[in-house]
Amino acid sequence: MWRKATAACLVLAPIALTVSTAVDPALGTVEEYGVYRAHPDATQWHSLLLHWAWALFVPGFLGLLAPVRRRGLVLAIFAWVATVVGLVTFAALMSADFALLSLEQQSGVTDAQLAAWDDRMADQTWAVLGWQQLGIFGWGLALILTPIAAARARVINWWTAGLALAGTVLYLLFAISPLPLCILGPVTLVVAYGMAARQLLGFRAAGDEPDVFGTFRRRAGRICMIAAPLSFAVGMATVPPGSPEPDSILKHPDLGQASAFFLHLAWVLFIPAVLTLAAPGRRVTRIAGGLTVLGLINFSGLMFGDYLDLAARQSLGNTIADQAAETQGGYLTFTLGWVLPGMLLALLGLIVVAISAAVDRVVRWWVPALVGAGLAAFFLLGLGPIGVVGPLLLLGGFGAAAVTLRTPAAPEVSAVPVG
């Protein structure tokens, strides 16, 4: 089942990238501002599809790396970390396009004010180091190392890996060039990862090769079961006093930036935690785990909005920032295509996966009870010091799961690998 889901993501992700690139209203232009204002619909679809392209590449790459055992281990570990942390973070940066569009659509906002907003963003150390640089660096590593690791492990052949790397290079070179040059890279990636999907579906691992990479993933997943709620607790503990009042983040900008980073990191770390929890379960549990991962990818990215909002309030004032936030909330592409899937699939999914794992006797029943109580406390207790209660309850639930989780039995395989 996971191979079919991976294959679907590997095909859909570059297709979304191709369409997103083709509809980008800024193709071939050198203007920094005003293009989005003139083409609001194209801007929204470009940004949403671009976000979903990178979001779908995350489960696609993780699934492509899953059959790796010992051959290609080091490359696979770096690619796995780059995908989980870097690529997920990079997908969040697309929300800046929605924020810029909402500001450009406010009456009286000048290009000079928009430039001041950009400068404020550049001054935010947490945003630059923890999001932009981390996301771009991890995104690049994931795109380069994943096909190489998969080819080294003989999951795909070297021709496919080479074509994937060529597509990446072409995308980097021509992403903002006029049509049709701009889609040369994405179309190449469609072909490359379509071939990779086909080879993955036919892959059979050698039965005598120890699954060292699988052991790494399970250990990392159990560590994340503890690290994710701990990061969540730090994020809640550093929420600026007086939140959610607008002035609170203006009075405590460093706390606001730190809180947004640790909250984002928490949802990112829940991705391997959920995958590890769901892996020993039955089909329903694994499906719930996959949907929850998609939700976590989307939900974690919403934390970047805190930096965008802070920069708007610092450079343009609360009135314009509030109006822009209202405008952005009215974009159905953003609300229905990003916010709601993120919140529903992530928060509800954590509970469903825990319950389903308990039904499958993967964990004890106190795990879903604590997870449900933790998320309920997150919603009901609000912000401030008391908000740490929810993450601590989640720590109890996922911590217990990390200790008691049984290891899935290794599949019996004997056929020769593809490629």
Side-chain angles (χ1 to χ4, degrees), residues 190-321:
V190 171
V191 176
Y193 284 108
M195 294 168 57
R198 182 175 178 275
Q199 291 165 26
L200 174 67
L201 292 174
F203 174 78
R204 295 294 182 273
D208 59 347
E209 186 178 8
D211 190 9
V212 183
F213 183 55
T215 300
F216 161 79
R217 296 197 323 272
R218 288 188 289 273
R219 288 177 178 174
R222 292 188 179 191
I223 291 173
C224 288
M225 287 182 186
I226 297 173
L230 282 177
S231 181
F232 190 9
V234 174
M236 294 299 290
T238 52
V239 169
S243 293
E245 292 299 321
D247 286 341
S248 64
I249 195 170
L250 287 174
K251 294 177 180 178
H252 308 277
D254 292 334
L255 278 180
Q257 293 179 57
S259 176
F261 173 78
F262 283 106
L263 289 175
H264 161 74
L265 182 62
W267 305 119
V268 169
L269 294 176
F270 269 122
I271 292 173
V274 166
L275 290 174
T276 303
L277 179 61
R282 299 173 184 173
R283 181 183 295 269
V284 172
T285 303
R286 296 195 296 272
I287 292 175
L291 293 175
T292 303
V293 165
L294 281 178
L296 290 166
I297 295 169
N298 282 275
F299 190 55
S300 67
L302 299 179
M303 309 305 124
F304 190 61
D306 290 356
Y307 300 94
L308 300 167
D309 181 69
L310 173 60
R313 296 185 185 282
Q314 290 176 327
S315 58
L316 305 176
N318 285 336
T319 301
I320 294 178

